Amino acid sequence: MKKELMLGNQAVARGLYEAGVTVVSSYPGTPSTEITEFISTYDDIYSEWAPNEKVAVEVAIGASIGGARSFAAMKHVGLNVAADPLYTASYTGVNGGLIVAVADDPGMHSSQNEQDSRHHAIASKLMMLEPADSQECKDFAKIGFELSEKFDTPVLLRLTTRISHSRSLVTVEDRVEPALKEFEKNPQKYVMMPAMAIKRHAIIEQRMLDIADWAETADINRVEINDGAKIGVIAAGICYQYAKEALGDKASYLKLGIVNPMPVKLIRDFAEKFDKVYVIEELDGIIETHCKVNGIDVIGKELFGYLGEFSQRIVAEKILGETKPSVATDLEIPPRPPVLCAGCPHRGVFYNLKKLKLNVSGDIGCYTLGALQPLGAIDSCICMGASVSALHGMNKARGDEFAANSVAVIGDSTFIHSGITGIIDIAYNKGISTVIVLDNSITGMTGHQQNPTTGYTIKNDPTVAVDLEALAKAVGFKRVRVVDPYNLAQTEQAIKEEIAQKEPSMIISRRPCALLKTVKHNPPLKVDADKCKGCKACMKIGCPAISMRDGKAVIDFTQCVGCDVCKQMCKFDAICGKEAN
Amino acid sequence: MANSLNVMIVGVGGQGTLLASRLLGSAMIQSGYDVKVSEVHGMSQRGGSVVTYVKAGENVCSPTIEKGEADIILSFEQLEAARWLPYLKKGGKIIVNTQSIDPMPVVIGAAKYPEDVLCAIGNTGVEIISMDALKLALEAGSAKATNVVLLGAMAKYTGIDYEIFENAVKETVPAKFLDMNLQALKLGYEA
């Protein structure tokens, strides 16, 4: 059979395809995004980007009730947004199989918190599977549908960054032709109001017992005994790989494929064989707590803690006390945080916000980088959409004078995700907030996904686009204007005028992401060294293409896209386009 | 190739480290090894320090490389070479593109870009190979081919046949950029 090197997320998509999934709805979120991007390359699967994770899961639930094998993917914090439908879908169960993939981000490579989504599995009383490489990503996606239909339950598939974004070999198989199940009118099962839900709750409790019973002997869990090993390790997902690499045959392993509900006898029988048993799990002590509640003596968080990603190094240090020799220079190495790209349209807005010394309620996206120096223009960032509603809260707390010096900034996709309800709140409750929508015509941070404002579907088919101006007016914002953020003076003028208004206002800063393939770049700019006084005014915009060499500004021609923003900063006319060279 | 090979590809987000790691991973598979590649995704990594791990062996467990474990570090930028040097194994090799890109703390004057980075790395006693890959890429036809020049430079230390790397490039790179990239690979290999 053919083997391919696949990204974990790609392998999940392949597994869904092979299992006959027909409806997929997701909202992008690192590290989960590529699952749905790969799904969109299969012609025989309907896939879509939903406005947010709640909608995505509701679409998948509907498709399941409609008889199809269906799926939704999201990052860990996305599951919070989708928790409402998910928790009740646990009660209704499924018709066609339903899988919800959730990708956690230990170490917060690209997230605002480090929450452990296994808590959601426990709280929603749902089965959760956790693969440890790309092959298992594919296999568990397939098994997940069988289990979903067997136990009449949505199934959670838990990934972490290192599983989602690592490539390993996967055996490719054929697709099972999907069979659409009968649509069944069954209000006792699908209409969740008290009389029905009370009965369903009892069924769900029994279901969890049945699944735990199944997990005692299921192949999805695996015991690997190494003769003579005195250490036992219990782990799931990527931590199993770290443990195997660090400990090899010095330990025996219980690798859990299901992390909720977990078996008891299987774990107890394994643990009894060893002098010491370690539970190795990133983030919270879910497996450890399960062991301890059931009277199984294990070592876990007391040794490994709750923070960040683990590695083979950490396992070797903590359990074996071994470290590998390494060398380092004696240089002081400055950090290199990510920055807004050269030509990023958000730069002009953030430069002006800082210049005007405004209070800025920020949001989730590339533009959160506007919080870093030298732009340093964001004062808070909580979650998707909070820029808008939190600004309203700040303004209500501190009054009109504060509001006259404050704005919210939110990207186009984030605005659709959960900024719309915020502007309704402002208009309805007589707020006077100024909201700036940073419309770069794409979902940027997650790597260029279409969204309801772009006019294209996930398959790049033309479709209707949300008219942001009309939307804002419809909810009660009478003042709506559009600016080009490459024009610093125009942007500044608009911000000054709008914050002065005693009513809600919206500024749409509109200019496509400079990295979009459809965006044509101007020739790179150049600094005339004779004219450059070395005043560093051009450095205030934090463009990665500009640096100082021997007291003069220089522009890196490999990065510069000719946006002209730095040119507007220069009082000495020292920055010129190609025509002047 | 030896029993196992751990390679780290490091640089600045946007320099094309991902493509280089995919090509290397593909070459390793064609040589018959189990392979894992761990990547960093997300546009927000642009301009930041990025690292990709590429591991080959009989049975690769962890997809990541830790301090003291890399056989080869391929760095697209000088400062990043110094940053990730502790990940090099004793007796490992570090290949460094002489390009230097100021990180934002240096741009705004909050930190200094250290002087004589290559010298400092050499002083630790590791084997360092430095080259101006951007120059060779421009020679091949585009600054964008810098990553493939560097891949070529590394190829000769992997123990994998050059033809296998050529095949990996042919399978991955779009037709209209193929000749340029093959030329870039060759210039790097022969440098």
Side-chain angles (χ1 to χ4, degrees):
Chain A
M1 259 176 290
K2 201 180 164 207
K3 278 197 167 188
E4 284 179 29
L5 192 62
M6 277 192 191
L7 204 61
N9 283 345
Q10 183 181 6
V12 171
R14 181 73 204 182
L16 298 169
Y17 168 78
E18 289 178 7
V21 73
T22 55
V23 177
V24 172
S25 180
S26 302
Y27 184 81
T30 313
S32 72
T33 312
E34 299 82 6
I35 302 173
T36 308
E37 289 188 319
F38 279 108
I39 280 287
S40 74
T41 64
Y42 295 109
D43 288 337
D44 26 14
I45 301 172
Y46 171 78
S47 59
E48 63 173 35
W49 290 126
N52 64 35
E53 295 87 354
K54 179 176 183 288
V55 174
V57 166
E58 288 160 350
V59 168
I61 290 169
S64 163
I65 294 172
R69 285 192 164 180
S70 56
F71 174 82
M74 60 211 61
K75 67 184 293 168
H76 58 334
V77 285
L79 194 61
N80 303 339
V81 179
D84 194 5
L86 188 75
Y87 279 47
T88 300
S90 173
Y91 277 37
T92 64
V94 303
N95 184 18
L98 170 60
I99 298 178
V100 174
V102 54
D104 286 3
D105 189 17
M108 292 179 276
H109 295 271
S110 196
S111 301
Q112 68 269 40
N113 77 26
E114 207 170 14
Q115 71 182 50
D116 188 328
S117 63
R118 293 177 297 173
H119 291 293
H120 272 304
I122 295 168
S124 63
K125 300 178 189 289
L126 287 174
M127 172 192 285
M128 180 178 256
L129 310 180
E130 183 167 2
D133 60 21
S134 295
Q135 181 67 52
E136 285 192 353
C137 282
K138 197 198 84 163
D139 294 344
F140 286 14
K142 291 176 86 168
I143 300 165
F145 278 125
E146 287 167 26
L147 294 172
S148 172
E149 288 164 6
K150 176 182 160 93
F151 289 106
D152 190 10
T153 178
V155 169
L156 291 167
L157 183 67
R158 185 201 190 216
L159 306 162
T160 55
T161 302
R162 293 294 177 192
I163 296 296
S164 284
H165 286 169
S166 291
R167 288 170 194 272
S168 59
L169 289 167
V170 176
T171 304
V172 174
E173 295 160 290
D174 292 333
R175 175 166 164 96
V176 176
E177 273 318 304
L180 195 65
K181 292 191 170 178
E182 286 298 312
F183 176 73
E184 161 190 35
K185 286 194 182 292
N186 185 352
Q188 291 301 321
K189 186 169 187 298
Y190 294 117
V191 179
M192 284 302 96
M193 50 200 287
M196 292 81 145
I198 286 166
K199 288 180 195 146
R200 290 298 303 175
H201 188 184
I203 292 170
I204 271 49
E205 294 302 331
Q206 183 57 47
R207 181 180 76 199
M208 289 304 275
L209 295 175
D210 294 344
I211 297 171
D213 199 39
W214 169 85
E216 294 287 356
T217 54
D219 293 342
I220 203 166
N221 302 316
R222 190 166 76 226
V223 174
E224 297 172 20
I225 299 292
N226 284 309
D227 292 337
K230 292 197 171 66
I231 300 171
V233 168
I234 304 171
I238 192 66
C239 290
Y240 162 77
Q241 305 288 8
Y242 294 146
K244 282 274 281 190
E245 181 138 337
L247 307 172
D249 57 12
K250 293 188 188 109
S252 291
Y253 305 88
L254 170 55
K255 180 193 172 301
L256 294 173
I258 179 166
V259 292
N260 191 59
M262 281 178 271
V264 176
K265 187 171 179 296
L266 177 70
I267 296 177
R268 179 172 289 127
D269 289 352
F270 174 79
E272 277 171 356
K273 294 190 175 79
F274 306 98
D275 303 342
K276 272 189 177 174
V277 179
Y278 296 92
V279 172
I280 305 177
E281 57 187 326
E282 289 170 335
L283 306 180
D284 295 338
I286 306 281
I287 302 173
E288 178 184 356
T289 303
H290 171 75
C291 291
K292 288 183 171 167
V293 163
N294 287 290
I296 302 163
D297 189 24
V298 295
I299 302 161
K301 291 295 157 190
E302 66 202 84
L303 188 62
F304 288 98
Y306 297 86
L307 307 179
E309 279 193 309
F310 291 179
S311 65
Q312 57 271 29
R313 175 181 59 81
I314 289 173
V315 174
E317 279 174 11
K318 300 280 186 192
I319 294 183
L320 302 176
E322 290 175 2
T323 51
K324 293 204 162 104
S326 72
V327 294
T329 64
D330 51 9
L331 302 174
E332 213 169 295
I333 299 173
R336 190 188 296 274
V339 292
L340 292 174
C341 304
C344 175
H346 305 321
R347 180 170 285 110
V349 173
F350 286 119
Y351 166 73
N352 274 308
L353 295 177
K354 183 173 189 184
K355 184 180 170 194
L356 296 169
K357 299 192 173 67
L358 300 186
N359 311 305
V360 179
S361 178
D363 223 301
I364 308 283
C366 292
Y367 51 91
T368 317
L369 294 170
L372 303 181
Q373 295 303 332
L375 294 166
I378 292 179
D379 297 298
S380 64
C381 171
I382 311 297
C383 67
M384 298 284 285
S387 60
V388 181
S389 17
L391 174 66
H392 179 62
M394 288 176 204
N395 290 345
K396 288 292 179 188
R398 303 194 68 86
D400 288 2
E401 201 181 322
F402 183 87
N405 289 290
S406 304
V407 298
V409 290
I410 183 166
D412 48 330
S413 186
T414 312
F415 179 73
I416 295 293
H417 180 285
S418 43
I420 298 170
T421 41
I423 63 164
I424 292 172
D425 192 47
I426 290 169
Y428 169 59
N429 289 308
K430 303 173 183 291
I432 60 165
S433 299
T434 301
V435 175
I436 302 177
V437 177
L438 303 168
D439 180 4
N440 65 348
S441 312
I442 203 74
T443 312
M445 177 155 78
T446 44
H448 286 176
Q449 289 74 36
Q450 302 294 350
N451 70 55
T453 70
T454 67
Y456 292 92
T457 69
I458 192 170
K459 297 197 188 223
N460 291 316
D461 294 327
T463 182
V464 294
V466 172
D467 180 337
L468 291 175
E469 293 92 315
L471 174 68
K473 287 194 169 151
V475 308
F477 275 54
K478 291 187 186 119
R479 297 189 63 88
V480 182
R481 62 200 283 180
V482 179
V483 297
D484 177 357
Y486 276 0
N487 186 331
L488 293 180
Q490 181 204 31
T491 303
E492 181 182 356
Q493 186 61 28
I495 295 169
K496 275 185 182 162
E497 284 173 19
E498 295 313 319
I499 54 177
Q501 303 300 323
K502 296 272 185 220
E503 61 173 304
S505 60
M506 179 181 287
I507 300 168
I508 300 168
S509 164
R510 183 166 286 150
R511 170 66 78 163
C513 172
L515 298 182
L516 277 173
K517 289 206 175 83
T518 49
V519 171
K520 280 199 79 111
H521 294 159
N522 293 322
L525 303 180
K526 218 179 158 186
V527 177
D528 183 336
D530 295 336
K531 288 188 186 168
C532 177
K533 307 278 187 234
C535 72
K536 297 187 179 174
C538 57
M539 313 287 279
K540 287 185 189 165
I541 54 172
C543 176
I546 308 174
S547 55
M548 296 297 285
R549 290 281 183 270
D550 304 323
K552 306 274 182 184
V554 287
I555 296 175
D556 176 0
F557 74 94
T558 65
Q559 292 194 66
C560 178
V561 301
C563 75
D564 275 3
V565 171
C566 60
K567 204 171 163 181
Q568 296 165 58
M569 300 294 296
C570 184
K571 292 194 182 98
F572 305 102
D573 203 21
I575 299 175
C576 41
K578 207 172 192 177
E579 71 283 355
N581 294 345
Chain B
M1 197 182 111
N3 288 335
S4 68
L5 185 63
N6 291 346
V7 178
M8 278 172 75
I9 302 182
V10 304
V12 179
Q15 279 192 304
T17 51
L18 267 190
L19 178 68
S21 70
R22 273 173 212 172
L23 290 168
L24 175 60
S26 164
M28 286 168 164
I29 285 179
Q30 287 177 37
S31 309
Y33 291 91
D34 183 29
V35 172
K36 280 190 179 164
V37 181
S38 186
E39 306 176 346
V40 180
H41 284 228
M43 208 57 82
S44 62
Q45 307 301 330
R46 297 280 302 198
S49 171
V50 293
V51 54
T52 304
Y53 310 100
V54 189
K55 296 173 76 169
E58 201 180 320
N59 184 19
V60 182
C61 293
S62 167
T64 58
I65 293 170
E66 273 291 329
K67 281 184 183 162
E69 291 184 352
D71 297 292
I72 299 173
I73 295 177
L74 177 63
S75 181
F76 283 39
E77 199 271 349
Q78 289 196 38
L79 185 62
E80 295 312 307
R83 186 188 314 282
W84 296 99
L85 180 65
Y87 285 70
L88 199 64
K89 179 188 280 184
K90 206 173 168 224
K93 292 182 181 63
I94 183 160
I95 302 160
V96 188
N97 180 16
T98 53
Q99 208 172 341
S100 65
I101 300 172
D102 285 355
M104 201 45 70
V106 171
V107 170
I108 63 174
K112 266 191 71 181
Y113 195 105
E115 283 171 26
D116 290 332
V117 174
L118 299 179
C119 213
I121 294 172
N123 287 343
T124 64
V126 305
E127 188 178 341
I128 176 169
I129 298 122
S130 65
M131 65 186 305
D132 187 345
L134 177 61
K135 190 173 148 229
L136 294 176
L138 290 169
E139 215 173 290
S142 166
K144 290 204 168 85
T146 306
N147 52 359
V148 179
V149 171
L150 286 163
L151 181 75
M154 184 196 55
K156 61 186 162 208
Y157 303 106
T158 58
I160 298 171
D161 289 344
Y162 180 71
E163 290 70 33
I164 292 181
F165 281 95
E166 271 191 335
N167 285 339
V169 172
K170 283 176 193 162
E171 278 175 17
T172 312
V173 173
K176 65 174 169 175
F177 301 120
L178 185 58
D179 286 347
M180 180 183 78
N181 278 290
L182 287 174
Q183 175 69 9
L185 187 76
K186 191 158 171 259
L187 286 173
Y189 189 78
E190 288 169 354

